[in-house]
């Protein structure tokens, strides 16, 4: 049973560029959440997708956008990259709202913006 | 707004001994969940233990247990018989309760746990 898979593992981009990160949820899960974890800090909630719609969004600018596909996989897109976007991006999946289904995390994508 | 504070950036413990990691939080809600997650060098967040605020009994998972003090808004993690594999970053996290349309986890800054052989 595959867990949450994220791709790519590492990514280096230049300021101003755009990036797309991908996440496949654990089998049986239908909800995907994205978190940004800056170096030495705890994760910050970006947004959550359920039934192909953004259900909740954290305090992130519109440069951060996402999508969920019918197979529940998800993408995180970041436009006009800034140096401050350098971080580990974590994807977490759950079933429904996750009250009785704990979040399962992937290994993250390390994004470096130069 | 809810906040989570971990005041210990780093802790070290001798293998086989016991260590306690501290976490305090601030909320005006009465219904919520608290979590401890472990993040090893592999970067994957792994759930260690979970506590529902309405439960008075402290949660326990094998060598891991919590001391949940609701009035003091404190949620510490005790690791007994520490093992080398316990070395990792430990994060305390908060989430509002069932039925609330706020699904996000709010995280502390983490505590790095070092296990001395």
């Amino acid at each position: 049973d595959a867990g949450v898979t994220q791709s790519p593992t590492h990514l280096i981009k230049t300021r101003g560029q755009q990036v797309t990160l991908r996440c496949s949820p654990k089998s049986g899960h239908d909800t995907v959440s994205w978190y940004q974890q800056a170096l030495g800090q705890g994760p910050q909630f970006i947004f959550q997708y359920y039934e192909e719609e953004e259900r909740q969004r954290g305090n992130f600018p519109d440069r951060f956008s996402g999508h969920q596909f019918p197979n529940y996989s998800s993408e995180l897109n970041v436009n006009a990259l800034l140096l401050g976007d350098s971080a580990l991006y974590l994807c977490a999946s759950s079933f429904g709202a996750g009250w009785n289904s704990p979040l399962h995390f992937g290994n993250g994508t390390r994004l470096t913006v130069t | 707004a809810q906040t989570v504070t971990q005041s210990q950036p780093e802790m070290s413990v001798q293998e086989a001994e016991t260590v306690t990691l501290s976490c305090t939080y601030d909320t005006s809600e009465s219904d919520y969940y608290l979590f401890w997650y472990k993040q090893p060098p592999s970067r994957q967040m792994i759930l260690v233990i979970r506590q529902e605020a309405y439960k008075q009994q402290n949660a326990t998972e094998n060598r891991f247990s919590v001391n949940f003090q609701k009035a003091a808004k404190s949620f510490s993690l005790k690791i007994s018989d520490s093992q080398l594999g316990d070395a990792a970053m430990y994060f305390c996290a908060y989430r509002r309760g069932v039925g609330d349309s706020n699904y996000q986890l709010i995280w502390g800054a983490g505590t790095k746990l070092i296990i001395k052989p």
Side-chain angles (χ1 to χ4, degrees):
Chain A
D1 179 22
V4 179
T5 58
Q6 292 186 243
S7 63
T9 306
H10 295 89
L11 204 52
I12 300 175
K13 290 287 189 178
T14 303
R15 276 179 299 176
Q17 287 188 318
Q18 179 264 344
V19 68
T20 297
L21 310 182
R22 295 176 175 82
C23 172
S24 292
K26 178 180 169 64
S27 177
H29 285 183
D30 58 5
T31 302
V32 173
S33 302
W34 287 92
Y35 286 83
Q36 180 196 66
Q37 186 179 14
L39 194 63
Q41 297 182 24
Q44 297 286 322
F45 176 75
I46 302 175
F47 41 53
Q48 183 182 87
Y49 276 85
Y50 174 68
E51 293 188 340
E52 302 180 50
E53 292 191 357
E54 183 184 286
R55 178 156 67 177
Q56 185 184 4
R57 187 181 184 88
N59 293 325
F60 278 81
D62 293 344
R63 298 187 297 109
F64 290 77
S65 63
H67 190 76
Q68 185 178 35
F69 299 94
N71 67 353
Y72 307 120
S73 67
S74 177
E75 290 182 348
L76 164 64
N77 301 292
V78 187
N79 293 323
L81 285 167
L82 304 174
L83 294 179
D85 295 331
S86 295
L88 179 68
Y89 289 84
L90 296 169
C91 171
S93 73
S94 62
F95 177 72
W99 305 121
N100 293 314
S101 166
L103 291 181
H104 287 252
F105 284 83
N107 289 346
T109 294
R110 173 74 67 190
L111 172 65
T112 302
V113 182
T114 62
Chain B
Q2 294 83 18
T3 58
V4 176
T5 302
Q6 293 178 252
S7 60
Q8 306 155 317
E10 185 175 296
M11 292 283 285
S12 63
V13 63
Q14 206 72 33
E15 190 177 6
E17 295 190 344
T18 296
V19 64
T20 298
L21 308 184
S22 301
C23 173
T24 59
Y25 59 95
D26 188 24
T27 184
S28 59
E29 305 292 326
S30 59
D31 185 22
Y32 51 87
Y33 294 82
L34 295 165
F35 306 84
W36 278 99
Y37 278 87
K38 167 185 177 181
Q39 187 177 40
S42 68
R43 309 183 316 200
Q44 184 184 26
M45 284 287 187
I46 301 167
L47 178 64
V48 174
I49 201 165
R50 167 179 124 157
Q51 175 81 42
E52 292 89 342
Y54 65 86
K55 290 186 177 179
Q56 293 186 339
Q57 186 173 7
N58 289 325
T60 299
E61 289 287 342
N62 301 313
R63 298 182 295 108
F64 299 87
S65 61
V66 298
N67 183 4
F68 173 47
Q69 301 289 329
K70 191 172 184 179
K73 297 181 182 175
S74 171
F75 183 61
S76 61
L77 174 70
K78 185 172 83 171
I79 306 174
S80 304
D81 185 26
S82 298
Q83 300 175 0
L84 294 177
D86 295 334
M89 286 292 295
Y90 284 80
F91 291 91
C92 178
Y94 165 101
R95 190 171 69 183
R96 289 167 68 167
V98 174
D100 193 291
S101 60
N102 190 330
Y103 305 99
Q104 65 175 304
L105 284 174
I106 298 169
W107 301 75
T111 296
K112 182 178 181 180
L113 180 62
I114 298 168
I115 310 295
K116 300 177 184 176

